[in-house]
Amino acid sequence: MNNGISITNHRNGETYEFNIINSTRGPNAVDIRDFFKKTGMFTFDPGYTSTASCKSEITFIDGGKGELRYRGIPIEELAGKHTYLEVCYLLLNSKLPSPDELLDFDIELRHRSFLHRGLHKLFDAFPDNAHPMATLSAATTALASFYKEHINLTSSDDFNKMAHRIISKIPTIAAFSYRHSLGIPFIEPNIELSFTENFLFMMRAYPGGKMHIDRQGERSIKEIEIKALDTIFTLHADHEQNASTTVVRNVASTGAHPYVAISSGIAALWGRAHGGANESVISQLEMIGSVNNVEKYIKKAKDPNDPFRLMGFGHRVYKNFDPRAKILKKLQDELKSELNLNTELLEIASKIEDIALNDEYFISRNLYPNIDFYTGIILTALQIPKSMFTPIFVIGRTVGWITQWVEFKREEKSKISRPRQLYIGK
Ligand code: SDX
């Protein structure tokens, strides 16, 4: 007795059997790899709402419960309780690091955070007003020409070096992209600083390494700012097979250089339906401008003939609160007293949330705030300009992309991604 699934084609009375592959958590999958061979037909799933593109052990999401786990550990046990670097180590090595492992990992990333001198020149090719995501994607592709060595897929040293290098250089490229957009000199990484503090340092420091000075003296980077940004990096680290990760895996399947795959992921993330939403949320809150205008925009969001969508709302998988949004909302409340959060934007965001969460249109479509809804308000409080919101998403997500790349490459029969189509032409 086949414990799989039978499908009957009522047009020809034929029945086809397919096996079920068991998951360790969440939905099982029907193995349809020989569906076309058996039935002569394709399955049709644009946007892949019901399609598992791969097997993975990295991240688990339960959209109904609003659950997220990295290597089996719930995000609530990681965000704000372990540093982003510990979470990077967990994703890459399937376990949290011992103190010595963390120290070695931290030291290696600090040493690898510098860019080849030749890469500095690339930024000059871009106009000052180039969006940092454009320079970030281009410079990441350029890295492939600086590190051409063939990556020996069986050597973990090779993998670790390739992965650690990109994780440590992305923040530097992002900070240089920002400084280029202001037309101010780059600030080199400071190996005495932690991963997250070093990024804020490269964003804010003056040449010579001094921080901003005002009447109270030097404005050094506050612990609370480092902790908030570190938590944001952790919340963005990985998210199973989202659009940009799917792009990274597709590029991996062609055999292209891993840094080109990461650069493709950066390009995909830029879209406002995906990672670009965090920047669009703030632009939208600024456009709404006052709590008195919220009703008008909620109406536009509900109008099927109006392309306007509430940025930061809705998610393909979460049909409940995005667990990351819950953590960010708590962080926002903590920061309210410590940092000057933009209370006006906060008021508008809270009003949108109050109305949308009680409105039939949003409830019936399971539209809840997602991670992008709150990130922008916190990053604004950290004096980070909105053009840098998606680059910050890139910094957090790079470890996820490279871990997914490695997992794909280590799969014994990793095949090139090549879907078919339903032809409806002449
Ligand atoms: C991220 O995949 C990931 O995991 C992504 C991410 C990650 O960590 O990698 O979590 C990060 O990208 C978060 C999502 C950020 N994007 C936004 O906030 C942009 C606004 N949200 C939408 O564009 C939308 O909700 C998506 C893209 C996030 C999800 O789109 P789906 O799953 O394809 O849903 P859909 O477009 O089919 O919408 C279903 C219904 C539609 O209405 P009907 O046709 O049924 O009448 O819900 C409506 C949509 O019109 N809808 C919205 C809405 N989102 C969906 N209506 C108003 N405002 C919205 N934001």
Side-chain angles (χ1 to χ4, degrees), residues 25 58-63 65-88 90-91 96 227-240 318 321-331 371 396-397 399-400:
R25 191 188 285 271
I58 302 169
T59 293
F60 174 76
I61 302 173
D62 181 319
K65 291 191 205 135
E67 191 183 316
L68 166 60
R69 292 165 180 263
Y70 292 156
R71 296 289 185 188
I73 302 177
I75 189 69
E76 294 76 11
E77 292 175 26
L78 295 168
K81 298 183 178 107
H82 289 274
T83 63
Y84 172 67
L85 242 46
E86 288 177 280
V87 170
C88 286
L90 168 69
L91 287 167
L96 283 163
K227 193 163 179 317
L229 186 56
D230 202 76
T231 301
I232 286 174
F233 285 151
T234 292
L235 294 172
H236 286 84
D238 193 54
H239 214 235
E240 63 140 85
Y318 291 124
F321 240 92
D322 181 333
R324 304 167 297 178
K326 272 189 189 162
I327 293 169
L328 283 170
K329 198 162 160 34
K330 235 170 90 236
L331 183 62
I371 186 167
R397 185 55 56 88
V399 64

Side-chain angles (χ1 to χ4, degrees), residues 110-180:
R110 293 180 191 218
H111 287 137
R112 291 192 184 283
S113 60
F114 296 84
L115 300 185
H116 186 290
R117 190 170 36 79
L119 207 57
H120 287 228
K121 296 190 198 106
L122 177 106
F123 294 88
D124 293 340
F126 286 81
D128 282 359
N129 61 357
H131 194 291
M133 282 297 281
T135 31
L136 185 51
S137 179
T140 305
T141 294
L143 275 181
S145 42
F146 286 88
Y147 299 100
K148 293 188 273 291
E149 84 274 8
H150 174 72
I151 292 138
N152 172 358
L153 299 185
T154 54
S155 133
S156 60
D157 281 355
D158 257 21
F159 265 118
N160 288 337
K161 190 167 73 174
M162 179 276 297
H164 298 173
R165 181 189 289 134
I166 191 74
I167 292 168
S168 60
K169 291 185 190 310
I170 286 282
T172 309
I173 297 174
F176 283 15
S177 303
Y178 169 63
R179 308 267 312 189
H180 173 76

Side-chain angles (χ1 to χ4, degrees), residues 169-214:
K169 291 185 190 310
I170 286 282
T172 309
I173 297 174
F176 283 15
S177 303
Y178 169 63
R179 308 267 312 189
H180 173 76
S181 72
L182 299 178
I184 58 177
F186 297 159
I187 296 293
E188 290 292 345
N190 176 344
I191 55 170
E192 289 171 354
L193 302 179
S194 70
F195 180 93
T196 302
E197 184 174 5
N198 184 38
F199 174 68
L200 287 171
F201 173 77
M202 292 190 286
M203 285 274 292
R204 292 187 192 170
Y206 285 72
K210 276 289 178 207
M211 299 308 285
H212 185 75
I213 295 175
D214 60 19

Side-chain angles (χ1 to χ4, degrees), residues 47-68:
Y48 313 120
T49 41
S50 305
T51 295
S53 61
C54 62
K55 291 179 185 171
S56 181
E57 304 175 27
I58 302 169
T59 293
F60 174 76
I61 302 173
D62 181 319
K65 291 191 205 135
E67 191 183 316
L68 166 60

